Amino acid sequence: EVDDNVHPASTMQLVDALIKANKDFDLLIMPGENHGAGGNRYFIRRRWDFFVRHLLGVEPPKGYRISERERTED
């Protein structure tokens, strides 16, 4: 939506090509996030879920939440 690296139209062109090639794919759209959405806790959980499903072959725990790490003062 607001990616500062890849225009959303390019993403849709890729999706269209994957569909035309009958390829399976996963797509996660993060409204309001730019290309570096890696710090978003929802994105982190969904990425971990993807790896658990596709690398470990098991279902990740339902309703798991990533909490913000507590910061300690030096």
Side-chain angles (χ1 to χ4, degrees):
E1 178 189 39
V2 293
D3 194 323
D4 55 359
N5 190 34
V6 178
H7 192 278
S10 297
T11 301
M12 293 302 114
Q13 289 172 343
L14 174 61
V15 166
D16 187 46
L18 290 169
I19 291 170
K20 286 177 179 172
N22 198 34
K23 299 290 184 183
D24 294 336
F25 63 95
D26 294 297
L27 175 66
L28 177 63
I29 296 176
M30 300 288 297
E33 293 286 346
N34 63 23
H35 197 77
N40 179 294
R41 288 180 285 180
Y42 180 77
F43 178 80
I44 293 168
R45 182 183 63 80
R46 291 296 306 268
R47 180 176 50 199
W48 288 357
D49 289 352
F50 181 88
F51 289 135
V52 167
R53 268 189 203 98
H54 296 285
L55 296 180
L56 295 178
V58 297
E59 279 301 306
K62 298 282 184 207
Y64 182 79
R65 289 185 173 266
I66 307 266
S67 62
E68 191 170 333
R69 185 166 66 168
E70 292 183 28
R71 295 183 181 176
T72 58
E73 298 204 21
D74 294 6

